[in-house]
Amino acid sequence: MVSERSLEVLRVIVQDYVASREPVGSKSIVERHSFGVSAATIRNDMALLEEEELIAAPHTSSGRVPTDKGYRLFVDHLAEVRPLSTAQRTAIETFLGASGDFDEVLSRTVRLLSQLTNQVALVQYPSVTRSRIRHIELVALAPRRLLSVLITDSGAVEQRVIELPAELSDEDVAEIRGAINGAVAGLTLTEATTRMRDLPAALTDRTRALVEPVASALLDQIAANRQEKLVMAGAANLVRTELDFPGSITPVLEAIEEQVVLLRLFDEMATDQHGVAVSIGRENAVFGLTEASIVSSGYSAAGADVARVGLLGPLRMDYSGNMAAVRAVARYLSRLLGDQ
């Protein structure tokens, strides 16, 4: 059974090791922290932590470093998700508030999060299983050319030019727009695909002839939006922390390249009472990321979590700061999307 003081010793070992990358010894703990006990007593506490496999001794040092299990205990019970500074909050509101369309919002989100934390930042596009079509706008560019604008309830906007086999009048465009929105507005992208395929059969001969080529192009547009994808920034930060991946950094780089691995991991992460999910080291073994940690939080649109914002980095990361940054950015992103 680990005592309260031993848990405090674990806390400072994690904090000092994250800050310095140097194994932490009893002497430095006594010198830097006010425990009010001798170095010998701290050594006894460290021995208990080592027996519980919460810390371990590197081969080249007499100090100790946290293990995966130690980081997990720290995150679950010892980490304080401290609030962001006023400067950080202002940076989030200023940088993200200046964003334009949905793609730019997500691009700015990962760039800002990477700068705040010095980690690889990730943001998932809204889940296709939950996003619903808010509206499909059709704009005549020429007699045989339309611009289709697909807008979802998560704020995503996707545009595509549709070439038509015959000329359309403004009245024709209005009729097509009404028929399509009447059929698919409010549906998920998956539901809309089925409805769009069945739509022509429910129309008059004249309207069917108008709608069929547009519906076919819109099916391709919806299919493109159903692909799960991530936006990333800060991969260069991995190079700066390469020493924190003593085995190999290659699996991490491969996971970044193969987005499906990170998307699967996001789907399996459980959120804690702070609204944050953390997956550490060996917990990621099935994904080949035993030397990495992932911190994430869900952002929402239309009142439901639709995707995740996250960070990827080494086990030796500032969990408290990263959890706070991810949570704050996710909450601001939810507010921003709610206003769209």
Side-chain angles (χ1 to χ4, degrees):
M1 192 75 176
V2 179
S3 68
E4 288 297 321
R5 188 181 62 232
S6 295
L7 291 177
E8 284 301 310
V9 171
L10 174 61
R11 185 202 299 272
V12 301
I13 289 174
V14 171
Q15 293 173 341
D16 288 359
Y17 180 62
V18 166
S20 68
R21 194 186 277 123
E22 295 293 331
V24 181
S26 57
K27 183 179 179 182
S28 69
I29 292 175
V30 170
E31 291 174 347
R32 298 181 59 180
H33 302 279
S34 302
F35 277 89
V37 296
S38 66
T41 300
I42 297 297
R43 281 196 296 273
N44 288 336
D45 290 325
M46 293 175 69
L48 291 174
L49 294 173
E50 194 163 8
E51 286 179 9
E52 295 293 330
E53 300 180 338
L54 297 169
I55 59 175
H59 297 301
T60 58
S61 173
S62 60
R64 300 295 185 270
V65 301
T67 62
D68 294 29
K69 185 178 177 181
Y71 282 124
R72 170 49 64 192
L73 183 59
F74 175 81
V75 167
D76 288 347
H77 301 290
L78 305 177
E80 297 175 352
V81 184
R82 56 180 180 267
L84 296 186
S85 67
T86 301
Q88 288 173 319
R89 290 196 302 271
T90 300
I92 292 173
E93 294 175 2
T94 302
F95 193 65
L96 295 188
S99 302
D101 61 23
F102 184 72
D103 289 334
E104 185 183 358
V105 170
L106 297 193
S107 176
R108 281 176 169 263
T109 295
V110 289
R111 285 157 51 200
L112 173 64
L113 193 53
S114 174
Q115 291 168 6
L116 288 175
T117 63
N118 295 315
Q119 306 291 344
V120 179
L122 318 163
V123 62
Q124 180 184 17
Y125 268 75
S127 170
V128 298
T129 61
R130 297 178 183 171
S131 293
R132 295 181 178 273
I133 293 176
R134 178 181 293 172
H135 184 70
I136 294 177
E137 185 57 59
L138 297 175
V139 181
L141 302 177
R144 292 191 179 188
R145 183 177 299 158
L146 289 178
L147 173 67
S148 67
V149 183
L150 174 65
I151 305 168
T152 71
D153 64 354
S154 62
V157 178
E158 204 269 347
Q159 302 179 10
R160 182 167 299 195
V161 175
I162 301 174
E163 301 291 343
L164 301 169
E167 294 186 4
L168 295 179
S169 66
D170 291 343
E171 291 76 14
D172 292 334
V173 173
E175 186 172 353
I176 296 170
R177 183 191 301 115
I180 288 175
N181 278 291
V184 303
L187 300 182
T188 66
L189 298 183
T190 301
E191 293 167 342
T193 299
T194 302
R195 184 69 62 84
M196 195 75 74
R197 289 197 181 104
D198 297 338
L199 176 61
L203 302 173
T204 64
D205 290 343
R206 179 184 179 280
T207 307
R208 183 184 308 120
L210 297 175
V211 167
E212 277 184 323
V214 179
S216 177
L218 284 171
L219 282 171
D220 292 339
Q221 191 172 1
I222 291 172
N225 278 272
R226 290 176 61 193
Q227 297 176 2
E228 298 279 4
K229 55 184 177 179
L230 291 168
V231 182
M232 304 186 195
N237 290 320
L238 288 175
V239 177
R240 301 188 187 99
T241 59
E242 189 171 1
L243 293 176
D244 290 315
F245 298 91
S248 173
I249 200 173
T250 301
V252 181
L253 297 175
E254 290 176 345
I256 290 176
E257 185 174 350
E258 298 292 335
Q259 294 191 5
V260 64
V261 173
L262 295 176
L263 287 166
R264 283 173 49 217
L265 200 159
F266 268 177
D267 287 342
E268 295 189 11
M269 294 177 72
T271 302
D272 66 9
Q273 69 271 22
H274 303 295
V276 179
V278 183
S279 189
I280 301 171
R282 293 175 187 172
E283 297 168 0
N284 304 317
V286 68
F287 303 101
L289 296 172
T290 56
E291 294 189 354
S293 287
I294 295 88
V295 179
S296 74
S297 184
Y299 72 90
S300 63
D305 282 358
V306 292
R308 287 185 178 271
V309 177
L311 294 169
L312 170 67
L315 302 184
R316 191 192 70 87
M317 67 159 60
D318 177 9
Y319 289 97
S320 295
N322 290 346
M323 291 164 69
V326 163
R327 183 176 64 175
V329 169
R331 287 179 173 177
Y332 187 81
L333 189 55
S334 295
R335 292 199 301 271
L336 194 63
L337 293 178
D339 292 336
Q340 292 189 358

